[in-house]
Structures are given as structure tokens and as C-alpha cells.
Amino acid sequence: MASFTLHGIPVSKGIAIGRAHLLAPAALDVKHYLIPDDQVEAEVLRLKNAIATVHQELQTIRSELPKEAPPELGAFIDVHALILSDPMLAEVPLNIIRHRYYNAEWALVTQIDGLSAQFDEIEDPYLRERKADIQQVGDRVLKVLTGSAINLPPAEGGDGATASIIVVAHDISPADMLQFRDGAFGGFVTDLGGQNSHTAIVARSLDIPAAVGMNNASALVKQDDVLIIDGDAGVTIVNPSPLVLAQYRARQERMLRDRKKLGRLKKTPAITQDGTEITLLANIELPTDSAPALEAGANGVGLFRSEFLFMGRAGHLEKFPTEDEQFDSYCQTVVSMKGRPVTIRTLDVGADKPLDEDEQTALNPALGLRAIRYCLSEPQMFLTQLRAILRASAFGPIKLLIPMMAHAFEVDQTLALIEQAKEQLRQRKQKFDEDIEVGAMIEIPAAALALPIFIKRLDFLSIGTNDLIQYTLAIDRVDHEVAHLYDPLHPAVLFLLSSVIAMGRKAGIPVAVCGEMAGDVKWTRLLLGMGLLEFSMHPSQLLSVKQEILNSDLTLLEPQVKKVLKATEPSVIEAAMAQLRTLNAEPEIKATAARRR
């Protein structure tokens, strides 16, 4: 069997070795035919029964979750149950059967395709990938309609190298992953997906090696092929040679040993070799993410993406959660963090569909009405969220983070609305933190270049490196045709990052980084050398970053980072970065730092 390599998007670190098990999407088996008039209601009933069966399946999976299961899993099952109950899936396909006479499978696929097209127009990558949840729920119903099984076979393989099963699929849902947990499920490879998909989030939570976004892996890989998933690189090796297999087995064993060592750092303070204390925070999407954040030793939450509360509501963002619903979620989060600060980012989505559906000109939602611009255009919705966050601040330390700031008047209008929300709560005699801190996401180059506007008005800053890089280089990093241009080491990006950190420190205003750079150990020393003292990342990345911090000495890093920042040629920057990664503190410095601690 010929060996070949597939390249995708890394979403969960680790190495998995096993045999391929292909899961075909149910939509591929859908037949299209018209129903006779006298059988329409029977076809409607068939779809209703399939939906009811999936509801029961999800309830069973939810009830059988083990106590030690990450809290995200239950929440994602709940989201799928909500989507399944939504009229956009529970009722519209029934009307398609009644009015167009489509068979049940065809009607369901038609509606899913229509909803998917709407999500493709959303700019925010986290929300855009929610399309996958709708498709996964639809695929589950289709499997019931077509009688397709989704259970894994028992793992086999006498050579000792294939003890695990590697699922290869067009896409895979968190619910499917839970059903596989009792088998020898070693990892998964999918054609679809990205960093922010629910499947990716669950994979990281469960430490399941995975590679997604491989386009045509499910077509190229054959049943029972031997696979190696290199989760760190997002690479899958199909039918590796004995030498490559042996090399990866050795790497796998070494990684398992290293993970055990990392676990010992949970209670160790993040202090550099020269005695500088670094704050490590967690990025979370759900209130129940607090548990893994605490387990990883996070000093608090640096980014709570509140968009999750607005998802899966009648298929549209127009139906907003109530103030009490939001308050309950924010309060649950802040209480569970046991006194550690929680930074809540206000709604970061946008009105990114054309006003006229027949309009042929494609709008650019990245530059349109989104994030704080959208919130200021919907003041009642924004006030509802602000009141909910303020009310939760009575139960623990909360910081308000405003996304996509660029203008002074946006800051002023936001602060005025926060004051209005406070006054409304005073009139209700509801408690809140009168001195709640308010900060801005620095993710637009204009904001980074006009930083005094924000330093003068706000309490803290948080750099969103994902968007800052994207806007600085004018590329969409999820567009495969230009994704290779996404470069954190571009001189313009380095200049903006370093200047924001330096100006913030000079003004005495805290600066954090909450984008992907914060959780990638490749950039830890670079950010430390720029003067960054607060990192916010996914909980699963925290211990690796902490280890890098413990092995770093700012007195050595800072001069080398200056060389990186002065360089403009890519080759010179890479050479300076390579030297930065090899810097080690002298033994006597380590001893001095140890005595300080």
C-alpha cells in the first residue's frame, strides 16, 4: 500500500496511531423523489418520528455522561437538542414536504443547505463554524431516516500498532464522539472544520489528537488503512513505513511522559527565571468551562466569549436571550471561578447579510456593521447585556471587554450606555460593582496606532492577535487561497504588538494578549521579551506556556527581542527568532531566582 501525507488544520495536540474507520455522511445516501398527495402526511409523520428518535438519543447520551466528563460535552449536546427543537429544522422541512411534495430526506437536506448558506455569510469565524452544528444535527436525523449506523467496530490488529480506531469523516459531531468513548477511539480526521468548531473544542477538552479541514481525506483514505495523526502539525500519514511508524511511536511515548511532568506544574506560580511574575488566564466559551480553567491553574478568565448565549435561537440572531438568561450564565461563571477575575467580552457578531436579498454586489462583512458597531446600533439589546453583566458583578470580580474599538466616539458612546445601564439598575435597587473595569480589544490597526484614545478613557487593553494580524495583512485566514499569508512575524504585526504592549506599560494600564499567539509556545518568549505580563488562552494550552515561562529569563530575552523587532527581512527575523528560542538562563541566575521564590 502506497504511503502519503494529508495536511489540514491542527486543533488538538498529540499523536494517535490506529486503523481508519470511515463514516460516510448520511446526506450522500439521500434519494430525491416526489410524494403522492395521499402519502404526504405519512411522510411528514416519518420525519417527525425521526426527529423524536434523535431527541431521545441525545437525552440518553446526556444522561449517561460520566461524572468526570468535561462540562463542555453536556453543553454541546444541549445546543444540538435546541437546534433540533428549532422551528427552522423541526417545522420548515415539514412544510416543504406538504407544499413541494419532497420526500423527508430531500426536504431536510434542502432546508439544511439553505441555513448553511446563510451561515457562510457570517464574518465572525466562531459563529460561522456554528453551521457545522446544524449540519451535524441534520446528519443525525438523516441517519435515522436512512437506517445508517454510527457505531464503531471493536479495535483489532495483531501487529500491536493498530490498537486504536481513527475515525475519518466528512465531519463528526460531539455527540458522535461521546458514543465512541467506550470503544478504542484514538483520534479523528475530517474534511471540514476549523479551530473554533465545537468538535475541535471538545477534542481539545478530551485531549483527543485530531486534524480537521483536510478537504478530501474521506475520499482518499480507505477502510482499515493504518493512520498516524500528528495533532501538533495537523498532518495525517496514511500507511506509514515501518521506520516512520517506529519514530512516531517513540514520539508518542515521549509526549505521554512529558504530559505527566506538566501536570506537576498546576500549582507552581508562573514566574520567570529572573523573578518576574506572569498572569495566565483562560479563554472560555461556556459557563461550564470554568472547571477546566481552574483545573489547569488559571489565574482567572481573560476572555469569555458571550456569543455562545446568542447562538441557536430560532436560526437567527434577532431573537436575543433575556437579561435573566444572560445574568444566570455570567453569574454561574463568576461564582465558579471562586474570586478570580472574569473578563466578559460583549457580543462580537454583526449584521453581515445584505439588506436586499436580491442584491448582487457582495458586501464585505469584515469591514461592516459588526461587534461594538452592531451593539451601538442595537442599544436596547446592548443595554440588556450590560445590565446582565453588571448584575453578575455583584457576585465576583468582572471586567467588561469591548470588541473592535477604533474611534473615540465609540468608546464614549459605550461608556455612556454602561452608565445608563448602571442607572437603570440603581432605580431597580439591584446591586452591582460601581467600579467595574472597562477595557477594549485592540484588534484593528487604527486602534493600535491611536492607542492614547483608549489609554485615556479605559482601564485595560486586550490584544486580539487573530483579527489584528488579519486586518493588518488584509487576508482572511480561513480562506485557504490566502491563509499562507497569515504571518505573526510580519514586521508590521511585530511593530503593532510591541508598541501596544510598550505604551500600555508606560501608561500603567494592564495589557493582555488573548489571541492564538498567547497559547502557542512558539511565541511565548517573543511576547515575554516585548514586556507582556498577561496571557489568555485555552485551558489545555496553559501548562505548556507556563513551562516555557518558567524556563525563560527576561534579562536574556529582551535584548534578543529587540533584534527581532529591528529586522525587516524574513530570513533575518527567522534567524533572530531561532536564537531567541534557544536562550537559556545561566545556572547562577537560576539559583538566585530559586532562592527568591
Side-chain angles (χ1 to χ4, degrees):
M1 292 180 288
S3 178
F4 59 93
T5 301
L6 299 171
H7 296 267
I9 301 169
V11 295
S12 182
K13 295 186 176 183
I15 291 171
I17 302 172
R19 287 201 177 274
H21 179 76
L22 301 184
L23 290 182
L28 293 180
D29 300 325
V30 167
K31 296 178 181 179
H32 295 186
Y33 56 90
L34 297 176
I35 300 296
D37 187 65
D38 61 349
Q39 295 179 21
V40 165
E41 287 308 313
E43 194 69 6
V44 166
L45 183 60
R46 192 165 75 91
L47 181 53
K48 282 183 176 180
N49 289 340
I51 291 172
T53 298
V54 173
H55 264 301
Q56 185 58 50
E57 285 180 357
L58 294 177
Q59 287 177 12
T60 301
I61 294 170
R62 186 75 166 86
S63 65
E64 293 178 353
L65 276 177
K67 291 182 179 179
E68 67 274 11
E72 296 97 321
L73 297 183
F76 290 148
I77 299 303
D78 292 342
V79 168
H80 280 202
L82 283 172
I83 291 172
L84 191 60
S85 300
D86 193 291
M88 300 300 289
L89 273 186
E91 295 179 11
V92 173
L94 304 180
N95 293 332
I96 292 175
I97 296 173
R98 291 186 176 110
H99 298 299
R100 300 189 201 176
Y101 299 94
Y102 288 5
N103 63 300
E105 294 88 343
W106 188 8
L108 183 60
V109 169
T110 298
Q111 176 63 1
I112 291 170
D113 288 347
L115 291 173
S116 298
Q118 292 179 26
F119 273 79
D120 284 336
E121 297 297 321
I122 295 177
E123 166 58 24
D124 183 272
Y126 182 80
L127 286 177
R128 185 168 58 238
E129 288 181 6
R130 300 290 68 77
K131 173 182 75 172
D133 294 302
I134 292 174
Q135 293 174 332
Q136 289 165 1
V137 171
D139 196 64
R140 200 168 190 87
V141 177
L142 287 171
K143 282 184 167 73
V144 173
L145 288 169
T146 58
S148 307
I150 60 171
N151 296 323
L152 292 185
E156 296 178 357
D159 59 2
T162 56
S164 294
I165 289 171
I166 307 296
V167 173
V168 181
H170 190 60
D171 197 12
I172 183 173
S173 74
D176 290 340
M177 292 169 66
L178 283 169
Q179 286 190 284
F180 301 157
R181 72 181 186 273
D182 294 330
F185 179 39
F188 66 86
V189 178
T190 60
D191 300 337
L192 302 181
Q195 282 282 348
N196 298 314
S197 65
H198 278 168
T199 301
I201 293 168
V202 172
R204 286 192 289 268
S205 299
L206 294 174
D207 284 330
I208 297 173
V212 303
M214 291 201 164
N215 296 318
N216 55 358
S218 61
L220 295 174
V221 176
K222 293 182 174 58
Q223 188 77 7
D224 291 327
D225 277 349
V226 176
L227 303 182
I228 297 174
I229 298 177
D230 184 341
D232 297 69
V235 166
T236 299
I237 303 170
V238 184
N239 295 320
S241 67
L243 178 61
V244 170
L245 192 60
Q247 289 174 338
Y248 269 94
R249 283 211 163 278
R251 276 186 60 188
Q252 190 180 46
E253 292 172 4
R254 189 165 59 249
M255 288 175 73
L256 288 173
R257 289 196 300 269
D258 290 344
R259 282 191 180 187
K260 288 182 180 179
K261 291 179 182 177
L262 279 180
R264 302 169 190 165
L265 300 179
K266 287 179 182 178
K267 296 183 180 180
T268 303
I271 300 175
T272 61
Q273 294 286 343
D274 60 287
T276 304
E277 188 168 357
I278 306 299
T279 300
L280 296 180
L281 305 164
N283 294 346
I284 67 173
E285 288 89 12
L286 304 161
T288 47
D289 284 344
S290 319
L294 288 173
E295 175 65 21
N299 300 125
V301 172
L303 176 64
F304 178 9
R305 299 182 177 96
S306 63
E307 297 80 49
F308 175 80
L309 304 176
F310 292 74
M311 288 160 36
R313 308 180 69 86
H316 297 284
L317 291 171
E318 286 78 12
K319 186 179 178 183
F320 301 118
T322 66
E323 181 181 326
D324 285 341
E325 283 181 272
Q326 294 186 61
F327 164 71
D328 288 342
S329 294
Y330 303 142
C331 193
Q332 179 186 343
T333 303
V334 72
V335 169
S336 62
M337 287 306 294
K338 301 176 181 176
R340 296 168 180 83
V342 175
T343 302
I344 300 176
R345 184 177 69 186
T346 57
L347 184 62
D348 190 8
V349 296
D352 36 25
K353 296 184 181 71
L355 294 176
D356 181 357
E357 293 184 358
D358 297 324
E359 186 178 348
Q360 296 301 311
T361 305
L363 301 180
N364 188 342
L367 307 179
L369 191 66
R370 57 166 296 204
I372 189 57
R373 303 170 183 176
Y374 179 69
C375 289
L376 291 176
S377 73
E378 294 280 353
Q380 293 309 313
M381 177 278 297
F382 195 31
L383 282 167
T384 298
Q385 182 175 36
L386 292 174
R387 288 194 302 269
I389 295 172
L390 285 167
R391 286 170 58 192
S393 71
F395 295 85
I398 286 181
K399 298 181 180 181
L400 260 171
L401 182 60
I402 314 299
M404 206 179 174
M405 289 283 201
H407 301 275
F409 72 83
E410 290 173 334
V411 184
D412 294 337
Q413 287 180 14
T414 299
L415 292 175
L417 282 169
I418 292 172
E419 184 54 40
Q420 184 178 340
K422 287 182 176 180
E423 183 56 33
Q424 290 170 346
L425 293 180
R426 291 187 194 107
Q427 292 175 7
R428 294 186 194 169
K429 301 188 183 308
Q430 290 180 307
K431 294 181 180 180
F432 62 92
D433 179 6
E434 288 278 2
D435 300 316
I436 190 169
E437 293 185 20
V438 182
M441 290 277 288
I442 304 300
E443 49 193 339
I444 299 175
L449 294 169
L451 205 65
I453 290 174
F454 306 96
I455 288 175
K456 180 182 178 182
R457 292 167 167 82
L458 298 170
D459 302 306
F460 68 96
L461 304 172
S462 188
I463 304 173
T465 53
N466 302 354
D467 273 343
L468 183 62
I469 296 169
Q470 178 169 261
Y471 284 127
T472 302
L473 302 182
I475 64 107
D476 182 352
R477 66 197 184 100
V478 298
D479 183 338
H480 295 299
E481 293 183 349
V482 294
H484 64 285
L485 300 174
Y486 184 86
D487 182 14
L489 291 181
H490 190 285
V493 174
L494 294 176
F495 169 76
L496 293 175
L497 278 174
S498 60
S499 62
V500 171
I501 294 169
M503 289 179 69
R505 290 195 66 175
K506 185 177 180 181
I509 184 170
V511 178
V513 168
C514 63
E516 286 181 18
M517 286 186 73
D520 192 332
V521 292
K522 292 199 302 289
W523 316 121
T524 302
R525 291 189 169 199
L526 174 67
L527 294 171
L528 286 171
M530 288 180 180
L532 186 70
L533 299 178
E534 290 188 19
F535 294 67
S536 190
M537 67 205 73
H538 190 277
S540 66
Q541 300 168 319
L542 198 141
L543 291 178
S544 296
V545 171
K546 182 185 284 189
Q547 184 181 54
E548 191 72 2
I549 290 169
L550 294 172
N551 292 329
S552 297
D553 182 346
L554 298 190
T555 61
L556 298 177
L557 297 185
E558 288 168 356
Q560 185 62 27
V561 168
K562 287 180 180 177
K563 293 180 183 178
V564 176
L565 298 176
K566 286 179 180 177
T568 54
E569 290 296 325
S571 59
V572 179
I573 293 173
E574 284 291 352
M577 282 296 298
Q579 190 173 351
L580 179 67
R581 294 180 184 121
T582 59
L583 287 176
N584 289 309
E586 296 298 325
E588 59 269 23
I589 296 177
K590 290 184 179 181
T592 302
R595 284 195 296 273
R596 285 179 188 168
R597 294 199 291 272

